[in-house]
Amino acid sequence: MESIRFQRNEEAARFLASYYETPPLLFVHSYGCQQNVNDGEKIQGVLTDLGFGLASRPEDADLIVFNTCAVREHAEQRVFGNVGALKGLKEANPRLLIAVSGCMAQQKDIVEKFRQHYPFVDLVFGVNAIDTLPALLCEKLQSSKRLLCTPVERDEIVEDMPIRRNSAFRAWLPIMYGCDNFCSYCIVPYVRGRERSRKSADILREFHELVDAGYRDITLLGQNVNSYGKGLSEKIDFAQLLRMLDAVSGDYRIRFMTSHPKDATPALIDTIAGSTHISRHLHLPVQSGSNRILAEMNRHYTVEDYLALIDYAKRRIPEMTYSSDIIVGFPGETEEDFRATEELIRRVAYMQLFTFIYSKRTGTKAATMPDPTTHKEKTQRIARVLAIQEEVVARLGGAMVGKTVRALVEGAGREAGTQTARLDNHMTVDFAGNVPEGDFVNVLVTGVRGAQLLGELV
Ligand code: 5AD
Ligand code: SF4
């Protein structure tokens, strides 16, 4: 797979410096997954590199970018609502530019909707156009016309893009882009294109930079990290990449997401078990506990395959915790199918569960499947999942009481005077203290409230 190096657009830098009398301010709002948040940080990087400052509120900005998500209809509606709400700002500040990027911008019909119904949106650019943003922005500023780019596929990876991260201790590190799996419900392969991996040397270089800059929590990103390496000229797989990164010395943790169960192997679990820095937590989205539905979803594994891997991991790494995504109400899901999901959730005992009602995405295979279950039934099923999950989480949390754990301070806790810190297994603990964010602390777990561990600094 080809990759190119980012080139700073000097002409754009000169133009922007002459166009704006005072340094312009940028406000980026990213929706959806971490991949998208990371793209938002690159948008910030590319533009601050050209002289933009960052605004903390949209009201202060000269350029607002909505970096959007298309995975569920609800996310799209929120974007349309939020973009619509900017109309007043635009009237108050004629210099303000409004841009839309991300996964929604990769869909022709959505770009068309912005064109027809949102006349105050000035610029639309796709997920693979961030490096060309300076040129697009200049083009827009030099003409009175709106610039709504037609979605294109572009497989090239752009390395060395400037980045302005939102945190000084937690970082996202993409190792691959796109997805080839075509799960029947999912829009991602259509908007983010074919799967392509970054060269390990490029990943390692960025990883070193992060560790050297003091990042403590580094999450490797990809739609399916376990198929890392396919299509590269070097011979490397995900477990090898993990070992290569884990060998870098420093006080940090590695996380990764997302693992597709069809490609996750006992070798991956062994790699985690033998590592120094890899977090003892596995996000392994199962989506459904019914083999019939899994087949309809085009997931390429059975409940038995999935549980065999989880059982292996539980034996090999007893302290490991698990999380998952569940889709409730996939077309044709019966009460029996759903009960199988309930059973699986109880059996695995996930520390965290992301539960979604199926959302029809035009253009995907599932969008053509009959879906007779009512929305009311689906909402009731979601409530049933949440009730099971509450029990499970309380039990897992209870088992932590009395343990002293090492945790990374992330910010303010729920109650005044408390802080919250993340354990290696991804649980969080609240404690009274005043420790700098991004420091590791030792905490004695003294209790649980709901899903929240409570503790005292040791
Ligand atoms: N409807 C509901 N949930 C979906 N997801 C992906 N596509 C859809 C959809 N059409 C969920 C899956 C995936 C997570 C990121 O979003 O559970 O793992
Ligand atoms: Fe969508 Fe499936 Fe790819 Fe995940 S693996 S992004 S659910 S197609």
Side-chain angles (χ1 to χ4, degrees), residues 123-179:
L123 180 63
V124 174
F125 61 96
V127 292
N128 300 317
I130 298 173
D131 60 317
T132 65
L133 180 54
L136 294 173
L137 186 59
C138 293
E139 189 182 335
K140 166 62 209 130
L141 289 171
Q142 282 161 339
S143 105
S144 55
K145 288 201 201 110
R146 308 161 70 199
L147 183 58
L148 313 193
C149 302
T150 318
V152 284
E153 270 217 29
R154 179 180 171 204
D155 278 351
E156 206 168 48
I157 291 177
V158 184
E159 290 295 347
D160 294 340
M161 232 183 305
I163 184 158
R164 187 66 183 259
R165 297 182 192 273
N166 296 330
S167 161
F169 59 90
R170 210 159 133 192
W172 314 113
L173 174 50
I175 62 166
M176 61 194 300
Y177 302 96
C179 181

Side-chain angles (χ1 to χ4, degrees), residues 148-456:
L148 313 193
C149 302
T150 318
V152 284
E153 270 217 29
R154 179 180 171 204
D155 278 351
E156 206 168 48
I157 291 177
V158 184
E159 290 295 347
D160 294 340
M161 232 183 305
I163 184 158
R164 187 66 183 259
R165 297 182 192 273
N166 296 330
S167 161
F169 59 90
R170 210 159 133 192
W172 314 113
L173 174 50
I175 62 166
M176 61 194 300
Y177 302 96
C179 181
D180 283 350
N181 291 309
F182 291 94
C183 301
S184 63
Y185 49 81
C186 187
I187 194 79
V188 169
Y190 303 91
V191 294
R192 290 210 172 246
R194 297 290 58 74
E195 196 172 285
R196 50 221 187 265
S197 295
R198 291 176 72 188
K199 290 182 190 130
S200 64
D202 289 326
I203 298 170
L204 185 62
R205 182 157 20 88
E206 188 173 348
F207 191 82
H208 269 292
E209 282 166 14
L210 290 170
V211 172
D212 291 348
Y215 281 88
R216 295 296 176 84
D217 188 325
I218 302 172
T219 304
L220 311 180
L221 295 180
Q223 298 299 339
N224 177 10
V225 289
N226 294 292
S227 70
Y228 172 78
K230 281 186 199 150
L232 281 178
S233 50
E234 58 184 315
K235 231 181 119 17
I236 184 164
D237 64 15
F238 183 55
Q240 284 167 309
L241 177 74
L242 278 176
R243 285 196 290 273
M244 182 195 252
L245 301 178
D246 184 50
V248 173
S249 56
D251 195 9
Y252 64 85
R253 277 176 192 156
I254 303 176
R255 304 180 185 283
F256 55 87
M257 66 192 302
T258 293
S259 288
H260 192 308
K262 82 177 164 61
D263 297 312
T265 57
L268 171 71
I269 308 298
D270 294 341
T271 303
I272 301 173
S275 75
T276 311
H277 299 102
I278 305 174
S279 165
R280 267 51 178 167
H281 172 81
L282 189 60
H283 182 60
L284 198 63
V286 68
Q287 312 297 359
S288 168
S290 152
N291 282 334
R292 192 180 71 80
I293 294 291
L294 287 174
E296 294 280 310
M297 287 177 164
N298 194 32
R299 291 289 286 176
H300 296 282
Y301 56 85
T302 63
V303 172
E304 292 73 24
D305 300 332
Y306 183 89
L307 288 175
L309 185 70
I310 295 271
D311 287 344
Y312 179 78
K314 285 185 173 177
R315 279 197 306 276
R316 192 82 171 74
I317 312 176
E319 72 276 23
M320 185 117 102
T321 57
Y322 303 87
S323 59
S324 186
D325 298 345
I326 302 275
I327 296 180
V328 167
F330 181 81
E333 181 190 75
T334 62
E335 173 62 23
E336 195 187 338
D337 293 319
F338 177 69
R339 286 214 184 122
T341 301
E342 287 185 310
E343 195 185 314
L344 178 126
I345 296 170
R346 282 208 181 86
R347 163 94 195 272
V348 177
Y350 295 104
M351 184 215 94
Q352 199 176 23
L353 210 50
F354 302 91
T355 316
F356 311 103
I357 290 191
Y358 167 74
S359 170
K360 181 174 170 173
R361 307 282 63 208
T362 308
T364 62
K365 176 127 186 283
T368 63
M369 299 176 183
D371 185 9
T373 313
T374 63
H375 188 74
K376 189 169 168 220
E377 266 173 279
K378 294 186 184 188
T379 344
Q380 284 166 348
R381 286 180 190 167
I382 285 266
R384 283 160 65 186
V385 172
L386 297 182
I388 297 174
Q389 197 46 27
E390 243 177 66
E391 273 172 42
V392 170
V393 166
R395 185 156 49 78
L396 293 179
M400 297 298 292
V401 174
K403 292 190 177 160
T404 298
V405 295
R406 190 158 187 264
L408 181 67
V409 181
E410 287 191 343
R414 287 205 194 155
E415 292 194 0
T418 66
Q419 295 186 283
T420 194
R422 193 169 296 271
L423 279 56
D424 183 52
N425 71 8
H426 221 55
M427 290 180 173
T428 56
V429 62
D430 278 15
F431 59 92
N434 191 13
V435 181
E437 285 180 17
D439 277 10
F440 282 109
V441 287
N442 290 316
V443 180
L444 169 68
V445 181
T446 52
V448 234
R449 191 183 309 125
Q452 184 60 56
L453 300 181
L454 305 174
E456 288 163 12

